[in-house]
Amino acid sequence: MFIDQRSKASWEDIMTLRSDPKSGRPGLLRILIIGGLCLCGCGPSHETAPAGWIRFTLEMGTSQESSAGENNHAENIAAILRIRLVEAGMTDAIVRAEGDRQIAVEAAVSEEVPQERIAGLLTRPARLEFHFVKPEKECREVIERLDRLLAEEGSVMEIPAGSDPEEARSRPLLSLIYDYPQWNHLGGFPVLRSKAPVLLKALEQAETNHFVPEDVECALSSTEYMVAQGLVGSLLHVLERTALISGDHIANAEVRFGLDPFDPEDPGVLVTLNPEGSEIFRIATRGHVESMLAIVMDGRVMSAPAIKEEIPNGMAQITGRFTLEEARDLSATLRSGALPAPLRIVNVQSIKEPPHLSGRGVSLEEFRGGSIGKRSLHG
């Protein structure tokens, strides 16, 4: 098992902003190697919520309309949500499709299962993809090209506080990167937190104007790092646009203990790819030793480890000082699959009396047995 110098970041370099839920001290992003590949993650913190039952009304986003042949589109999404909740331990939750575009979810909230945790499970797209990181030289060429085209167009982005207005106009993208052309050994360019929103707008503008090459995708890291002494920020990664692995290749994702040698008592998530995904992974890693591979969840890069050897077993692990609930939720969303349409919560209502459980939605066994579309989710 090999780790190259790019993966040997000091703990100060990769210290995250999030506090460890057990000790309250700043969390550390754990980089873990399995078969030559490391993955990392850091789940969100939650506040407590009063005990009782609550009803969420969710609406499908308008950006992905159901086609004429997808009569059960809302019902299929409801079934995915039901699996997420059941596999996260919320077995009494009720999920119903209400019409073509709305879904109702009724669930018990408590200190252990706060409202924010349920909301996250219901709305997280959970699109997991693996993308190769472009070589360092090509990353710089892409960023400099986008910067030049944006400057020539005269696009005026919001100027972050403390920035030089003239530099912001002449270098609309490069001025947002900390100490450019500095390249971080974790596979990206550092961007201070205060400048990240402006950088995202600049990248969106570049996409809209078709400045971004067809084979390129730019994404920020999901985790914040200590960019410099007292300065917190994320990393800008330049990736191959075509995904090597997607959520369709995931056969299983389960909570495991002992995955992290630094914190063996902490839970993590072990991801197993299906035969097709395993073979793709094996061939790709064999042919891209020394390349960096980004693990992307919902458009944000979780990590970008260097491949040191062929990975034949189709297995990878995600660690990051998760609580047990966070690890369960991550594994549940990965097992249930990505949402085929975006969801937003349009109403939250407290329920005085627990709902009648005989009216719950389709069961996990029925979903896996292929009965979706053969019966109503209303029971």
Side-chain angles (χ1 to χ4, degrees):
M1 192 170 298
F2 304 90
I3 308 175
D4 81 346
Q5 291 300 319
R6 285 173 295 183
S7 296
K8 289 184 178 178
S10 69
W11 291 128
E12 181 179 2
D13 287 339
I14 58 176
M15 185 177 291
T16 67
L17 188 66
R18 178 179 179 271
S19 295
D20 181 359
K22 295 181 179 179
S23 66
R25 65 182 185 274
L28 296 180
L29 182 67
R30 297 305 194 187
I31 294 186
L32 204 55
I33 306 296
I34 178 169
L37 175 68
C38 66
L39 297 101
C40 61
C42 194
S45 60
H46 300 292
E47 298 179 358
T48 59
W53 279 76
I54 201 164
R55 185 180 193 272
F56 297 87
T57 301
L58 299 104
E59 187 172 84
M60 292 167 52
T62 56
S63 61
Q64 298 187 33
E65 299 289 342
S66 301
S67 65
E70 293 178 309
N71 295 326
N72 293 324
H73 193 52
E75 293 186 350
N76 285 334
I77 292 180
I80 291 174
L81 297 181
R82 174 65 182 159
I83 287 181
R84 287 186 180 185
L85 296 176
V86 168
E87 297 202 357
M90 305 173 202
T91 57
D92 286 338
I94 297 172
V95 183
R96 295 189 299 270
E98 295 189 339
D100 295 332
R101 304 205 58 79
Q102 286 197 339
I103 299 167
V105 177
E106 295 168 347
V109 296
S110 64
E111 182 176 352
E112 294 74 23
V113 186
Q115 177 180 325
E116 292 82 1
R117 180 186 173 196
I118 301 173
L121 281 167
L122 297 178
T123 56
R124 186 175 193 175
R127 293 184 179 88
L128 181 70
E129 296 179 332
F130 292 5
H131 294 255
F132 280 115
V133 178
K134 291 283 190 180
E136 182 178 344
K137 181 176 180 292
E138 189 172 347
C139 289
R140 288 198 176 91
E141 291 173 350
V142 168
I143 294 301
E144 290 170 8
R145 176 179 185 269
L146 296 182
D147 181 73
R148 184 181 67 256
L149 292 173
L150 287 171
E152 290 175 355
E153 183 198 42
S155 298
V156 178
M157 302 296 164
E158 175 187 345
I159 300 176
S163 300
D164 181 352
E166 181 57 34
E167 183 185 25
R169 282 188 285 269
S170 62
R171 305 174 75 212
L173 191 58
L174 295 183
S175 63
L176 301 173
I177 297 175
Y178 181 80
D179 198 21
Y180 186 85
Q182 176 185 337
W183 168 267
N184 188 282
H185 48 238
L186 298 179
F189 301 101
V191 179
L192 296 182
R193 181 199 294 168
S194 61
K195 296 186 177 182
V198 182
L199 181 134
L200 288 174
K201 291 179 181 178
L203 292 176
E204 183 179 354
Q205 183 70 22
E207 282 281 3
T208 301
N209 293 345
H210 306 289
F211 293 160
V212 182
E214 293 183 356
D215 65 335
V216 168
E217 180 174 325
C218 298
L220 284 179
S221 63
S222 60
T223 304
E224 289 190 316
Y225 306 87
M226 294 297 292
V227 173
Q229 187 67 34
L231 299 176
V232 177
S234 52
L235 295 179
L236 171 62
H237 299 271
V238 180
L239 315 174
E240 295 278 357
R241 186 176 291 271
T242 301
L244 173 68
I245 296 292
S246 71
D248 294 337
H249 295 113
I250 295 177
N252 193 29
E254 56 184 319
V255 176
R256 289 284 186 90
F257 289 88
L259 298 179
D260 189 342
F262 298 99
D263 291 296
E265 296 183 358
D266 284 356
V269 176
L270 183 67
V271 176
T272 304
L273 302 177
N274 62 21
E276 179 185 7
S278 297
E279 182 64 9
I280 293 172
F281 208 37
R282 183 185 68 80
I283 295 173
T285 54
R286 182 178 61 190
H288 290 80
V289 173
E290 299 298 335
S291 296
M292 304 184 81
L293 186 65
I295 294 85
V296 184
M297 172 69 84
D298 296 333
R300 291 294 185 117
V301 176
M302 297 180 69
S303 66
I307 300 170
K308 293 307 298 177
E309 58 189 6
E310 176 185 324
I311 305 173
N313 58 9
M315 299 181 71
Q317 60 197 42
I318 305 175
T319 66
R321 289 199 172 183
F322 296 118
T323 65
L324 181 57
E325 290 75 19
E326 289 167 348
R328 283 175 175 169
D329 291 353
L330 176 58
S331 64
T333 55
L334 291 177
R335 283 196 303 271
S336 66
L339 294 175
L343 294 178
R344 66 186 183 97
I345 297 173
V346 295
N347 187 52
V348 179
Q349 179 181 358
S350 296
I351 301 174
K352 293 184 178 180
E353 297 293 332
H356 184 52
L357 296 182
S358 65
R360 78 171 53 164
V362 64
S363 69
L364 183 61
E365 291 73 19
E366 289 170 324
F367 179 82
R368 288 180 169 165
S371 62
I372 296 298
K374 298 180 182 179
R375 65 182 293 276
S376 168
L377 284 174
H378 295 276

